Amino acid sequence: APTQRLSLHNNAIALFIGDSYGMNDRYPLYVQRSFARLLSGKTCEYYNHHIGGEDIFEIGARLHAALTGSALPIDLAELWTKPSVAVLEGGGNSILSDDTAATVLGGMDDMIDICRANGVSRIVIVNLQPFKNYSSYTVGRATQGLAYNALLADKYRGLPVFDLYAAVRGDVNTDALSKIANGDAWDYDSGDGLHPTDAASEMIGRQIAMMLVHYPVASKASGLTSHLT
């Protein structure tokens, strides 16, 4: 069957723990599964080139390597298929290192430029989630994160933006991950106030896959059902 390679890149406050198959880092895997089911007859593979702690510019360098195949061992180079789809999330580590919203947006601009220069046909941007219950939370960092999300809005440079913030925040505690123990309706906090549960990752993955299949989409997650069953 034809292969559609799905390239997911995250520098997220939510998704960088462990490897790409580990607990609390599984939304790329769920995007892959949902995307493959929705694209009947195609095989979907993905590359999640994130290493915990990288800032948005470092993840941009990995994105460039993924799209060009420049980081591959020589014996694999001939087998390389350039990804045609990209999900771009970045900025969490940068915000937690006290970068400004404008600096993080510059890193996202670089990633978009890399994708467009390398023929990526479908690009979805993912904004930053709330993290009030995380140990490194400060008002200043949260303010910059919200400012960055506002700059992305529901579309940025003509590209759809998935509203991760709205998808995982609490309905009572709207500036933190949803957590039943805190009075919210859903358990999306794995316990540290930063990383989502596996159930949250599955929900995120299905929503992003829907956006990719129905591309281009009109708006962000607010145009979909936030809590899919």
Side-chain angles (χ1 to χ4, degrees):
T3 296
Q4 176 116 21
R5 299 231 176 191
L6 178 62
S7 181
L8 295 107
H9 301 275
N10 64 66
N11 170 40
I13 57 176
L15 304 163
F16 60 65
I17 206 169
D19 61 35
S20 59
Y21 298 97
M23 185 66 171
N24 306 325
D25 193 22
R26 293 172 61 87
Y27 99 68
L29 180 61
Y30 284 115
V31 174
Q32 177 206 20
R33 290 176 177 174
S34 296
F35 196 47
R37 283 197 298 268
L38 292 167
L39 290 178
S40 179
K42 294 194 178 222
T43 299
C44 176
E45 300 179 30
Y46 79 96
Y47 305 90
N48 182 10
H49 289 280
H50 177 64
I51 294 177
E54 289 181 321
D55 65 26
I56 194 167
F57 297 100
E58 291 169 323
I59 205 67
R62 285 183 169 272
L63 172 63
H64 181 268
L67 290 174
T68 62
S70 60
L72 290 174
I74 189 66
D75 57 339
L76 295 180
E78 292 183 0
L79 303 177
W80 179 250
T81 300
K82 183 190 298 185
S84 61
V85 178
V87 178
L88 304 179
E89 180 178 353
N93 291 334
S94 299
I95 291 294
L96 290 173
S97 297
D98 296 318
D99 282 345
T100 66
T103 297
V104 177
L105 190 68
M108 180 57 71
D109 280 329
D110 288 349
M111 291 202 290
I112 293 169
D113 291 342
I114 290 166
C115 286
R116 286 178 165 168
N118 285 278
V120 176
S121 60
R122 301 187 186 194
I123 304 170
V124 169
I125 300 169
V126 181
N127 70 9
L128 299 181
Q129 69 168 79
F131 59 102
K132 186 173 184 180
N133 292 330
Y134 182 51
S135 59
S136 294
Y137 171 89
T138 68
V139 172
R141 289 169 177 168
T143 298
Q144 290 301 313
L146 288 171
Y148 172 68
N149 287 354
L151 290 169
L152 292 177
D154 63 347
K155 276 195 172 183
Y156 181 68
R157 294 178 58 180
L159 301 172
V161 176
F162 175 73
D163 194 347
L164 179 62
Y165 192 101
V168 298
R169 71 181 180 182
D171 51 331
V172 174
N173 303 284
T174 57
D175 51 0
L177 289 176
S178 183
K179 188 172 184 178
I180 291 176
N182 293 339
D184 300 311
W186 300 87
D187 255 336
Y188 289 162
D189 185 343
S190 65
D192 63 0
L194 178 64
H195 298 101
T197 60
D198 199 43
S201 292
E202 183 175 9
M203 176 270 293
I204 294 163
R206 282 186 283 172
Q207 289 198 25
I208 293 175
M210 288 173 62
M211 293 178 75
L212 291 169
V213 170
H214 300 290
Y215 196 91
V217 292
S219 64
K220 55 186 176 180
S222 58
L224 301 170
T225 301
S226 291
H227 306 288
L228 299 178
T229 58

